[in-house]
Amino acid sequence: MDVFDSVIKEIRETLPSLPLFEEEPMAKHSSFKIGGPVRAFAVPEDITSFSRITHVLKKNRLMPLVVGNCTNILFPDEGLKELFVISTERMTNMFLLPDGGIYAEAGVSLSKLSSFACQNSLSGLEFASGIPGTVGGGVLMNAGAYGGEMKDVVESVVTYYLPQQKLYETLNENCGFGYRKSAFQTIAGCAIVSAVFRLESGDREAIASKMKELNEKRREKQPLDLPSAGSAFRRPEGYFAAKLIEECGLKGYSVGGAMVSDKHAGFVVNTGTATSHDVYDLMMHVRNTVWQQKGIELVPEIIILSPEYKLTDNSPDAPLHIISGNPAASETDPLE
Ligand SMILES: Cc1cc2nc3c(=O)[nH]c(=O)nc-3n(C[C@H](O)[C@H](O)[C@H](O)COP(=O)(O)OP(=O)(O)OC[C@H]3O[C@@H](n4cnc5c(N)ncnc54)[C@H](O)[C@@H]3O)c2cc1C
């Protein structure tokens, strides 16, 4: 019996109805439809179950990987035999606050969040309605499209810091938001559990029509019929990755089952049989070619997990040093 066996046994005893899968293939969950099995995959439905799972993990010195809809991650074909994944996809509470803000848990999909805002005549989230991720993944990545970003609409974020088993609230200005970046990315063991969104009052019809227009644009330009993880590379300053890739003659270029989309060169798609190695090799070929021909370095936007990937606790004593000094930071133990 290894540490995972005993952890899984204890979690099953503590939370008998929790969906908890062993040797779960990540191809079943990732938008790329790629990835071998992880040791365990748990799907809590609220912060209490979430914290109970992490309590058992912490006792056994294990750090889980927290994911949302897995629309921005490439998992290795070999699987990750020492990884415990917690998905927030069932943590989907969402409601309107008395002051007009929207409270949404980490697993709420960005499309449901923007539809909810529209139903309540709140404008600002139209850009997010076609992004297939969740509030947790969207905030962590500062997801954005068509001129909007999460940083424009997030008022505050509640995180659960696993090493301390405590909740923290962080205001927008302390979230370290930048282009596809937030401070939460740099802190191992920092799980986003919910966020509050501050939006403008607007006209419901106009909001709905903007969302429709942006989603049509997406369908027209992006290869939504094939599995992918969205834009493969970040936008280099002053350029567009897709244009550079196309100018290098790489549209439609493939390695095994992975292909630079012939519809939108910024996307790498799985044509049916792609392995994570195919995607990785293709991305490296694209990167090298663009560097050789254009002298511009492309940096992956997709999170690529190697077979050796392990989560380590990188800041046990100063968990939130990046957002320390936040006057709004409050601590509560959800188990109390
Ligand atoms: C077809 C398609 C179109 C896309 N279009 C866009 C776009 O227009 N703009 C854009 O920005 N992105 C786009 N993406 C990428 C992706 O949808 C976004 O990055 C999204 O925000 C990721 O959310 P997720 O829930 O899927 O996160 P995941 O892929 O599950 O995770 C992404 C990262 O966030 C972490 N994470 C997830 N949830 C939590 C949490 N609760 N707490 C702590 N860490 C967490 C994960 O560990 C991982 O590091 C697209 C993807 C696809 C497949």
Side-chain angles (χ1 to χ4, degrees), residues 29 41-45 50 65-70 85-91:
H29 301 276
F41 185 87
V43 200
E45 63 178 4
F50 183 96
L65 174 70
V66 181
V67 300
N69 281 348
C70 302
V85 177
I86 303 181
S87 167
T88 58
E89 67 193 304
R90 287 202 315 155
M91 291 166 56

Side-chain angles (χ1 to χ4, degrees), residues 85-106:
V85 177
I86 303 181
S87 167
T88 58
E89 67 193 304
R90 287 202 315 155
M91 291 166 56
T92 54
N93 262 329
M94 173 168 58
F95 50 84
L96 203 57
L97 294 163
D99 66 0
I102 296 177
Y103 167 91
E105 282 184 353

Side-chain angles (χ1 to χ4, degrees), residues 31 65-73 88 106 110 130-134 136-138 140-145 180 190-193 218 222 224 228-231 267 301 303:
S31 59
L65 174 70
V66 181
V67 300
N69 281 348
C70 302
T71 60
N72 207 36
I73 309 177
T88 58
L110 294 176
I131 301 178
T134 58
L140 186 111
M141 298 300 297
N142 185 23
R180 302 294 171 270
C190 180
I192 293 163
V193 292
R218 233 175 230 281
Q222 299 183 358
L224 302 184
S228 79
S231 297
F267 281 62
E301 180 166 322
I303 295 160

Side-chain angles (χ1 to χ4, degrees), residues 254-294:
S254 58
V255 172
M259 181 176 85
V260 173
S261 165
D262 48 15
K263 189 169 179 186
H264 187 310
F267 281 62
V268 167
V269 292
N270 176 0
T271 59
T273 56
T275 62
S276 63
H277 290 274
D278 293 343
V279 173
Y280 182 81
D281 292 347
L282 176 62
M283 285 178 66
M284 290 311 112
H285 177 78
V286 169
R287 189 179 150 116
N288 291 340
T289 310
V290 170
W291 174 249
Q292 279 156 14
Q293 293 192 22
K294 302 277 185 185

